[in-house]
Amino acid sequence: MRKRQNCAMHAAFLTRLGSRETDPGLRTAQFHMDLWSYFTLQNWLLDFSRPLAVLFCPLEWFPLNKPSPSDYFHLLYNITTPFLLLKLIERSPKTLPRSAVYLCIITFVMGSSMHLVGESINHRLLLSGYQLHLSIRENPIIKSLTPHTLIDSFELLQYYDESLGHCMWYVPLFLVQFLYFTGCFTIVKAEQTMPISAWLLLGPSGLYYWYLVTEGQFFIPFIFTFFAMMATVVHQKRKGFLPDGNGLFLLYSFSLSLVLMSVWVACLWNDKVLRRKYPGVMYIPEPWAIYTLHLREKQTDPSLHDTVQDTHCRSV
């Protein structure tokens, strides 16, 4: 009797995968160590390190009216990330809706490219004394602009960068990952665990998602994606399926980042200055706002602002 039930479950598993996955060689759910390593490396090198490149590269090498190393990193990120997402979808044991995947990838490229332009200008403002923990109209260097209608232009730039750009960047990214996650279920017990290599990548992956959500200020799409993953796990478990190594890696990465965000918010809960910029219940301060509020005054040379102005004048 039990053997018949197992055979029936296996047949249902093959039917759910679709005609493309009926080959046993294609159904083998192996941990994609190469892709997840590439993802982790390019996320840290091309995304997380971009602001650091702006701060530590000499201004004489990259004048303010020329692309900075951060801009080049962002350009590479906009190329490598869609490519890796497509390769990840190709390895999914489940046939995913191609139109939805392609539309998400196209939207992702548009959003991240829009963010590239806005963040490039934002980094230059940062070098000129812009304070990320303050709103645009509260920043001293923005208050002195004349005519005052220029402030509206900077607010429009921030909208394209922080609101529309992030929305068109993060929502497709999380949606593609969720679509891939829906195919990461198996009835084979040997595939329902993570290898040691996956555990080694889990820390950097979860920490990057923490940075992505806190700096991007897009907690709601993240938490909705996480809840959708958990609901999918519960739904598939009733059918006898459990996440394979790749699904567990994604789920644990999101879980770890959620824990880190909780600790992050708890540590900064009583900061009155940050409370002014991030009012309401959704209080998740940006890491770089912490830098401009508490660290930059201690680390930067007082003559930096004059150096930036002199370098900019020479470049012009």
Side-chain angles (χ1 to χ4, degrees), residues 60-78:
E60 292 78 9
W61 295 1
F62 302 96
L64 296 181
N65 62 343
K66 302 293 182 182
S68 68
S70 172
D71 300 334
Y72 293 118
F73 285 178
H74 208 320
L75 285 171
L76 289 175
Y77 177 87
N78 293 355

Side-chain angles (χ1 to χ4, degrees), residues 10 42 59 65 77 82 112 126 137 164 171 229 266 315:
H10 187 67
Q42 68 107 33
L59 291 174
N65 62 343
Y77 177 87
S112 58
L126 183 64
R137 295 186 179 271
L164 185 60
V171 171
M229 287 182 175
S315 64

Side-chain angles (χ1 to χ4, degrees), residues 253-293:
S253 295
F254 275 56
S255 302
L256 177 59
S257 62
L258 190 60
V259 172
L260 293 175
M261 274 184 277
S262 301
V263 175
W264 174 258
V265 171
C267 293
L268 301 172
W269 188 258
N270 296 322
D271 195 305
K272 296 181 180 179
V273 178
L274 294 175
R275 275 289 181 181
R276 292 179 57 189
K277 184 176 181 180
Y278 309 99
V281 180
M282 301 301 295
Y283 173 71
I284 304 178
E286 303 170 61
W288 285 102
I290 305 301
Y291 168 76
T292 61
L293 177 61

Side-chain angles (χ1 to χ4, degrees), residues 86-122:
L86 289 173
K87 297 301 292 184
L88 190 66
I89 292 299
E90 287 180 2
R91 297 194 187 182
S92 174
K94 176 183 177 181
T95 302
L96 301 175
R98 292 186 178 182
S99 298
V101 172
Y102 292 158
L103 190 60
C104 287
I105 296 297
I106 294 171
T107 306
F108 171 87
V109 173
M110 291 183 62
S112 58
S113 300
M114 194 182 304
H115 179 266
L116 164 62
V117 178
E119 191 178 59
S120 178
I121 298 175
N122 188 54

Side-chain angles (χ1 to χ4, degrees), residues 94-160:
K94 176 183 177 181
T95 302
L96 301 175
R98 292 186 178 182
S99 298
V101 172
Y102 292 158
L103 190 60
C104 287
I105 296 297
I106 294 171
T107 306
F108 171 87
V109 173
M110 291 183 62
S112 58
S113 300
M114 194 182 304
H115 179 266
L116 164 62
V117 178
E119 191 178 59
S120 178
I121 298 175
N122 188 54
H123 285 165
R124 283 149 181 77
L125 291 174
L126 183 64
L127 291 173
S128 301
Y130 187 83
Q131 301 178 31
L132 294 174
H133 60 278
L134 299 176
S135 65
I136 291 180
R137 295 186 179 271
E138 293 177 338
N139 263 273
I141 66 171
I142 301 297
K143 286 182 178 180
S144 59
L145 290 176
T146 54
H148 290 292
T149 53
L150 287 175
I151 301 179
D152 296 331
S153 300
F154 277 98
E155 288 184 332
L156 178 62
L157 177 66
Q158 187 185 47
Y159 170 76
Y160 280 118

Side-chain angles (χ1 to χ4, degrees), residues 25-73:
L26 296 177
R27 292 198 315 272
T28 303
Q30 298 179 350
F31 183 73
H32 308 317
M33 180 62 185
D34 53 343
L35 287 182
W36 294 123
S37 298
Y38 295 149
F39 263 117
T40 304
L41 179 62
Q42 68 107 33
N43 286 338
W44 280 91
L45 181 62
L46 302 181
D47 190 15
F48 178 81
S49 66
R50 284 188 284 108
L52 299 177
V54 172
L55 293 177
F56 293 106
C57 287
L59 291 174
E60 292 78 9
W61 295 1
F62 302 96
L64 296 181
N65 62 343
K66 302 293 182 182
S68 68
S70 172
D71 300 334
Y72 293 118
F73 285 178

Side-chain angles (χ1 to χ4, degrees), residues 161-220:
D161 176 16
E162 301 294 334
S163 299
L164 185 60
H166 281 178
C167 180
M168 297 177 64
W169 176 2
Y170 292 158
V171 171
L173 176 64
F174 291 145
L175 184 56
V176 170
Q177 291 180 335
F178 173 71
L179 290 175
Y180 171 78
F181 179 80
T182 59
C184 297
F185 290 86
T186 180
I187 59 175
V188 183
K189 291 185 178 181
E191 298 174 355
Q192 297 172 3
T193 58
M194 289 198 333
I196 298 178
S197 57
W199 289 104
L200 295 177
L201 288 176
L202 183 60
S205 178
L207 188 59
Y208 171 75
Y209 280 114
W210 162 83
Y211 171 77
L212 185 71
V213 176
T214 54
E215 187 65 28
Q217 294 293 290
F218 242 71
F219 177 76
I220 294 180

